[in-house]
């Protein structure tokens, strides 16, 4: 399925291109049939040299038409591309030469073929022409054909029909390739957005996972160093063993984050926060109601970020986590008693809380914080959908 859009787009483009090429290749075949029919009728002044020359001119013009159609398709799919002036001049000369030679034969099918010739020449460039201009060209050709049909020969109307079929068929092929190009661009943008979203998810999850993990390692490393300086080597060794265990767990968390298997659960996050704070010597009190499952994951990330900030920016000895489910919103309050002058600012302006605030704003929630003496209070709230009375 991964190769489906690109593979089929290329096949479709090749199909459209060659459909128009084959349509333009019908010119020399019809011209040869017309000459053979006219020869059988015994038109005057026609020799084998005349016939071969005119068929050769038809083949040359067809080659120019195919090249022009290819250039038109390339511009549709790849953008503006210069066309040599010599090519345009030679294309025009071959067209005029074939038209003049056909008129000189004075056979009944001349009017039909000339109009078909005009249709093929215009059709080669039709993929680049807008629908409005194509309509104008069609109206002009119709008016001219009607005038010729009334003044010269009714065959002009038959030739006009062939001409319009070729022109609009070529235009529709160009339109299909333009649609294909837009679909390809949309597919590329979708792919780029998917990659950007996945990178954002991984970076956000890694920040959430390792923010707390690194804070834990930092706290325990300081504790182990202090114990070692005091000569309590066994306790220091225990702390270092715990640090190694945390590092091993972090490696497993990285693999789960990269694979997209990690989901923040409410109960797991509460227990993890309690264990982490306990390992740092901080008492944790949890109270309140159960959070609705729909909002548990977002608020679990708030707990993770809040606990990480407590370890990084405070000297807390006690942390409380309280939840409240009101009729119109669910709220989470996280407080600690170790706020510092610089800690409060650092906690409020850290990139983690900014990211949490952005995430909550995305679902209509908000984050508020305040400092009351040594206590720092972080409140996150999310609105609950209101039931519409029947």
């Amino acid at each position: 399925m991964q190769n489906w859009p690109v593979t089929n787009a290329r096949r479709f483009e090749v199909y459209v291109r060659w459909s128009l090429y084959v349509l333009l290749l019908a010119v020399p075949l019809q011209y040869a049939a017309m000459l053979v029919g006219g020869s059988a009728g015994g038109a005057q002044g026609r020799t084998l040299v005349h016939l071969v020359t005119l068929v050769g001119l038809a083949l040359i013009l067809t080659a120019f038409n195919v090249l022009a159609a290819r250039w038109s398709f390339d511009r549709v799919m790849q953008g503006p591309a210069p066309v040599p002036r010599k090519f345009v001049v030679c294309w025009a000369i071959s067209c005029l030469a074939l038209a003049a030679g056909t008129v000189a034969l004075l056979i009944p099918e001349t009017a039909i073929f000339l109009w078909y010739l005009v249709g093929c020449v215009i059709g080669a460039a039709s993929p680049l022409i807008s629908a409005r201009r194509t309509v104008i060209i069609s109206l002009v050709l119709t008016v001219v054909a009607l005038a010729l049909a009334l003044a010269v020969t009714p065959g002009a109307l038959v030739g006009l029909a062939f001409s319009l079929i070729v022109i609009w068929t070529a235009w529709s092929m160009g339109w299909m390739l333009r649609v294909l190009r837009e679909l390809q661009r949309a597919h590329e943008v979708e792919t780029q957005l998917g990659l950007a979203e996945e990178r954002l998810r991984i970076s956000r999850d890694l920040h959430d996972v390792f923010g707390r993990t690194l804070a834990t390692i930092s706290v325990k490393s300081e504790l182990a160093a202090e114990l070692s300086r005091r000569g309590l080597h066994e306790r220091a060794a225990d702390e270092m063993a715990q640090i190694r265990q945390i590092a091993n767990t972090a490696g497993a968390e990285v693999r789960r984050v990269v694979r997209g298997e990690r989901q923040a659960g409410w109960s797991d996050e509460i227990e993890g926060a309690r264990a982490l704070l306990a390992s740092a010597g901080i008492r944790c009190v949890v109270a309140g109601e159960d959070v609705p499952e729909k909002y548990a994951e977002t608020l679990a990330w708030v707990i993770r970020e809040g606990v990480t900030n407590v370890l990084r920016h405070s000297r807390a000895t006690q942390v409380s986590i309280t939840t409240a489910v009101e009729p119109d919103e669910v709220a989470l309050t996280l407080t600690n008693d170790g706020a510092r002058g610089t800690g409060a600012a650092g906690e409020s302006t850290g990139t983690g809380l900014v990211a949490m605030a952005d995430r909550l704003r995305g679902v209509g929630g908000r984050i508020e914080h305040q400092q009351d003496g040594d206590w720092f209070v972080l409140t996150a709230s999310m609105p609950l959908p209101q039931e519409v009375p029947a």
Side-chain angles (χ1 to χ4, degrees):
M1 291 299 295
Q2 294 295 331
N3 294 329
W4 185 89
V6 175
T7 301
N8 285 268
R10 290 175 180 173
R11 290 179 179 176
F12 183 76
E13 180 182 350
V14 171
Y15 168 78
V16 171
R17 283 175 177 266
W18 279 98
S19 296
L20 182 56
Y21 297 162
V22 171
L23 181 63
L24 296 177
L25 287 172
V27 173
L29 297 179
Q30 291 202 6
Y31 194 73
M34 182 190 71
L35 291 178
V36 171
S39 179
Q44 297 180 352
R46 183 181 296 113
T47 65
L48 181 61
V49 176
H50 293 151
L51 298 180
V52 172
T53 301
L54 292 177
V55 171
L57 288 174
L59 290 173
I60 293 173
L61 179 61
T62 300
F64 278 115
N65 288 340
V66 170
L67 291 176
R70 179 183 177 184
W71 173 77
S72 299
F73 283 140
D74 288 341
R75 287 200 62 175
V76 168
M77 296 301 295
Q78 302 173 10
V83 57
R85 293 183 179 179
K86 293 182 179 180
F87 173 84
V88 176
V89 173
C90 294
W91 185 21
I93 291 175
S94 63
C95 181
L96 294 175
L98 182 58
T102 304
V103 172
L105 292 177
L106 298 176
I107 60 176
E109 297 87 352
T110 297
I112 298 176
F113 179 76
L114 288 178
W115 278 104
Y116 188 76
L117 184 65
V118 170
C120 289
V121 172
I122 298 176
S126 290
L128 290 177
I129 304 175
S130 65
R132 181 180 179 181
R133 292 180 179 179
T134 304
V135 170
I136 294 175
I137 292 174
S138 300
L139 291 176
V140 171
L141 293 179
T142 301
V143 171
V144 174
L146 288 174
L148 291 177
L150 294 175
V152 183
T153 172
L157 295 179
V158 179
L160 173 67
F162 284 119
S163 177
L164 294 180
I165 289 174
V166 173
I167 291 173
W168 281 102
T169 300
W171 179 89
S172 64
M173 291 176 178
W175 175 82
M176 286 188 289
L177 287 189
R178 281 192 290 271
V179 173
L180 176 64
R181 180 189 61 187
E182 295 302 322
L183 290 176
Q184 286 179 314
R185 290 179 178 175
H187 177 70
E188 292 173 357
V189 171
E190 181 183 5
T191 301
Q192 293 173 358
L193 289 177
L195 290 175
E197 183 178 358
E198 182 65 10
R199 292 191 184 103
L200 179 61
R201 180 193 67 80
I202 292 176
S203 64
R204 183 185 62 195
D205 290 353
L206 286 177
H207 172 271
D208 293 334
V209 168
F210 280 102
R212 192 173 70 176
T213 300
L214 293 176
T216 304
I217 291 176
S218 176
V219 170
K220 285 188 167 294
S221 297
E222 291 179 3
L223 177 59
E226 183 63 25
L227 291 172
S228 179
R229 282 192 293 268
R230 295 182 180 181
L232 303 176
H233 301 297
E234 292 185 2
R235 289 185 58 187
D238 291 340
E239 293 295 332
M240 295 302 296
Q242 292 182 24
I243 292 175
R244 183 179 62 182
Q245 183 178 359
I246 293 173
N248 292 335
T249 303
E253 289 289 305
V254 170
R255 291 188 289 272
R256 292 175 60 191
V257 167
V258 172
R259 291 195 298 263
E261 298 175 356
R262 190 182 191 284
Q263 296 293 331
W266 179 256
S267 59
D268 293 339
E269 203 63 43
I270 291 293
E271 292 302 320
R274 194 196 301 270
L276 173 61
L277 292 171
S279 68
I282 302 174
R283 181 171 173 265
C284 180
V285 178
V286 180
E289 307 172 61
D290 293 335
V291 174
E293 183 179 355
K294 181 178 180 181
Y295 308 97
E297 182 178 349
T298 301
L299 293 180
W301 287 117
V302 174
I303 290 178
R304 175 179 288 272
E305 188 60 40
V307 170
T308 300
N309 285 337
V310 168
L311 296 174
R312 286 179 173 175
H313 306 295
S314 74
R315 296 190 180 96
T317 61
Q318 181 177 337
V319 171
S320 65
I321 301 174
T322 307
T323 57
V325 180
E326 304 292 341
D328 58 344
E329 70 175 8
V330 56
L332 166 70
T333 303
L334 192 150
T335 63
N336 73 84
D337 62 352
R340 300 176 293 182
T342 57
E347 194 168 354
S348 65
T349 59
T351 58
L353 283 185
V354 173
M356 284 297 104
D358 291 340
R359 184 181 297 184
L360 284 176
R361 277 196 296 269
V363 294
R366 66 183 185 276
I367 281 185
E368 298 176 352
H369 57 81
Q370 62 179 354
Q371 184 174 349
D372 183 9
D374 291 337
W375 286 89
F376 186 88
V377 182
L378 174 68
T379 303
S381 59
M382 299 177 63
L384 293 177
Q386 301 298 310
E387 296 184 359
V388 179

